[in-house]
Amino acid sequence: MRIKINSMSIVSLLESAAVNATKELFGHDLQPGQLPLTPTRKEFAGDYTLVVFPLTKIARKSPDAIAAELGEWMVSNVEEVTGYNVIKGFLNVELGTTYWNNFLRKAVNTKNYGRQAPNGKRVIVEFASPNTNKPLHLGHIRNILLGWSCSKILEAAGYNVINVQVVNDRGIAICKSMLAWNLFGEGETPESSGIKGDHLVGKYYVAFESRFKEEYAAWQASSTGKEIVENHQKENETEAEFFGRYKNTYFNEYSALGKQAKAMLLAWEAGDAETVALWKQMNSWVYAGFDQTYAQLGVHFDKLYFESDTYLLGKAIVEKGLSDGLFQKKQDGSVFVDLKDVGLDEKTLLRKDGTSLYITQDLGTARIRYDDFGAKHMVYVVADEQNYHFKALFETLKKLGEPYADGLHHLAYGMVDLPTGKMKSREGTVVDADDLMAEVIGEARENTKERGELDSLSADEREDIIRKIGLAALKYFIIRVTPQKRMIFDPKESVDLQGQTGPYIQNAYVRIKSVLRKAGELNSGSFEDYRGLEEQERELLILLAKFPELVEAAAAEYDPSEIANYCYALAKEYHRFYHEHSILNCDSENVKKFRLDLSSLTAEVLETGMDLLGIEMPDRM
RNA sequence: GGUCCCGUAGCUCAGUGGAUAGAGCACCUGACUUCUAAUCUGGCGGUCGCAGGUUCGAAUCCUGCCGGGAUCACCA
């Protein structure tokens, strides 16, 4: 017997069937998607549900009558539909077991089920983009996980993806670390101290800030300080509030440390050999440290752009735009673009002294990346505090007529808060990325020890699995939240290994792997039609069938959390199935074959889905 | 003040036009001589911020208000 398998997904097949049926029965052309089609809720019979209310005006019949007519039509015209039932205007379409048997036979033998063929388009994803004066923290982790996942999802949706980051390696911040190291460092290096490079540089940034704080406090008590408060303090403002507000002015105008740091910045910009050498030295320590953190997180980049290399290049673009009449120059010499026609404001592109700004650099890097890779799509993964910046940037690039200007997307995400409130470096509440990873892995190690499941493995194998489990807990905890939302990160919950967590999903996979190991060699897809589908089996098949569309939707919306929630739903359904039904010991050899295939497809989809989130799966745990 | 984002169970989050709004945590409860119990079963828990409007149907769309956050630099 020839097996007829439609290449269309079942959802689109039913949708187009609904369009045809409406045309034939009621003589009306339906727009695709006008009739909502959803999986049938568990309490009703059927696989997919068509809501027919929108047709009542067209057909001028009762919803139940319409649903019945559509149901009849589907049964006689659509091979896959074997029955239907109608409840209150909801048409529950029943697919025969043949359909699901065929689906499983085909999917289990599909290589890379859920991944699309290459679409020939190239996209650049920018993420991480740290400053080089401090180590990475929890906020960077959210950024990096989103960026990496987004990159993997776009790849699965058929794009050729390039991962890049822009490193802010210049400016006053790194000069503060450099100065503090010069003043108090006594030649300390990562090697001499055993401190990871980025942490060492961060240590001197903190040292600078605390010395500066002392200096500022002393100044506040001095006669100059007292005079300033009296003359500049606003009504209803406490002394502390005033000095909080005044800090930048103090740094720029009075501070001895501020003066030295600024002198260092000037020396750097002038190319002073000694300063540049120190700058290179300290940045190289930072990069070595970052590389370790990235490796531990399991991410990598195809290309790095350094602001020190690119910060001048945007200027040429602005000058060109000025001479083309796209931008305007003010009397004081500054250059701006007028974005009022697109609902924004005037945006300065060059300072009056001709130096470049943040946006100037971004204009330059956008052009350079296009020249490097020819990608017409770019995704910027940057926190939502920069929403306005990216609107202005994208509109400016449109005005310039850049060929990629319509393919730009800012993947904005909310800040990460702690249960105690915002992370504040001044209050020492910033959660360090390396510490956090070590902590979740430690928690996984404790739990693994208690369970004893891995005792027979070598120490290396065991440690590798423990790392996968710990990182899964951390990553899943962060990536499951919708990017747009601000999220609360509770360190206690992030190390949970039970419930809606990464390890819960890994556990479903591990259970399958264990069964498959015991089953031995499989001949995938060789089962005869299995008529007695159990509820959990049907639910699993419906979920599995949805996966390819889900990948496309997640790519279209740049939203990894959709994949994360799906993986949990699938794992949960599998755990239930596993608990209710025996696979290796079931009474029919054919059902056993079917269940092994169902399990191995579930494992593959879980592995793919979690891979799209940047989470690795262990074979045992 | 202008603009944008958010507001769903005690807590953390799903659900963005369809049926009686769902998970996890926490709390109470049952299930391991059986394929990994990092699992599964049952219970408890909601005026979906408030008020109008559109619709056969609204947590979801529109308007107003309240609360939280971000932003409105010749900083990045």
Side-chain angles (χ1 to χ4, degrees), chain A residues 228-289:
Chain A
I228 294 277
V229 187
E230 275 171 33
N231 295 336
H232 298 274
Q233 195 172 14
K234 287 182 191 162
E235 268 181 68
N236 303 325
E237 190 176 41
T238 67
E239 208 166 277
E241 281 166 351
F242 171 78
F243 282 121
R245 182 165 63 82
Y246 196 73
K247 194 174 158 195
N248 274 336
T249 314
Y250 171 75
F251 180 88
N252 287 320
E253 293 184 12
Y254 297 93
S255 168
L257 285 167
K259 198 173 163 189
Q260 290 179 77
K262 285 196 300 177
M264 201 156 224
L265 182 60
L266 283 174
W268 180 85
E269 288 190 356
D272 173 66
E274 201 179 317
T275 309
V276 169
L278 175 61
W279 173 78
K280 280 188 179 162
Q281 169 81 91
M282 290 186 79
N283 273 341
S284 75
W285 294 343
V286 171
Y287 299 141

Side-chain angles (χ1 to χ4, degrees), chain A residues 16 27 73 168 237 250 276 308-309 357 368 405 413 442 512 535 613:
Chain A
S16 66
W73 190 93
N168 177 19
E237 190 176 41
Y250 171 75
V276 169
S308 58
D309 289 336
L357 291 152
I368 294 164
Y413 61 91
I512 296 171
E535 185 198 328
L613 304 175

Side-chain angles (χ1 to χ4, degrees), chain A residues 469-523:
Chain A
I469 296 169
L471 289 176
L474 174 62
K475 290 178 177 185
Y476 189 85
F477 187 77
I478 293 172
I479 205 83
R480 65 173 236 267
V481 181
T482 310
Q484 287 71 28
K485 284 190 174 179
R486 219 181 159 92
M487 68 172 287
I488 294 177
F489 182 90
D490 186 337
K492 285 203 297 288
E493 285 179 30
S494 72
V495 299
D496 276 354
L497 309 174
Q498 276 141 29
Q500 188 179 358
T501 64
Y504 173 95
I505 299 166
Q506 290 178 321
N507 185 231
Y509 178 85
V510 162
R511 282 176 140 184
I512 296 171
K513 284 291 164 180
S514 178
V515 169
L516 293 178
R517 271 195 299 274
K518 293 192 166 115
E521 197 71 12
L522 310 185
N523 189 3

Side-chain angles (χ1 to χ4, degrees), chain A residues 21 38 63 88 104 115 136 164 171-172 187 211 233 258 264 286 320 322 343 364 383 402 437 475 494 512:
Chain A
T38 54
K88 296 199 300 180
L104 179 56
R115 295 184 192 267
L136 304 175
V164 306
I172 193 72
R211 299 286 178 130
Q233 195 172 14
M264 201 156 224
V286 171
K320 178 77 169 33
L322 184 62
E402 297 292 297
M437 286 190 278
K475 290 178 177 185
S494 72
I512 296 171

Side-chain angles (χ1 to χ4, degrees), chain A residues 50 52 62-72 84-86 89-91:
Chain A
L50 212 47
V52 303
S62 75
D64 283 6
I66 294 166
E69 281 187 53
L70 275 176
E72 286 298 335
Y84 71 95
N85 66 83
V86 177
F90 293 86
L91 170 60

Side-chain angles (χ1 to χ4, degrees), chain A residues 47-104:
Chain A
D47 296 281
Y48 291 94
T49 297
L50 212 47
V51 185
V52 303
F53 283 104
L55 291 177
T56 49
K57 279 183 192 151
I58 293 153
R60 281 190 269 159
K61 290 181 182 172
S62 75
D64 283 6
I66 294 166
E69 281 187 53
L70 275 176
E72 286 298 335
W73 190 93
M74 294 236 176
V75 170
S76 31
N77 292 284
V78 184
E79 192 181 330
E80 288 79 0
V81 176
T82 56
Y84 71 95
N85 66 83
V86 177
I87 298 167
K88 296 199 300 180
F90 293 86
L91 170 60
N92 299 319
V93 174
E94 293 160 23
L95 302 180
T97 48
T98 308
Y99 172 79
W100 289 119
N101 278 277
N102 287 342
F103 163 77
L104 179 56

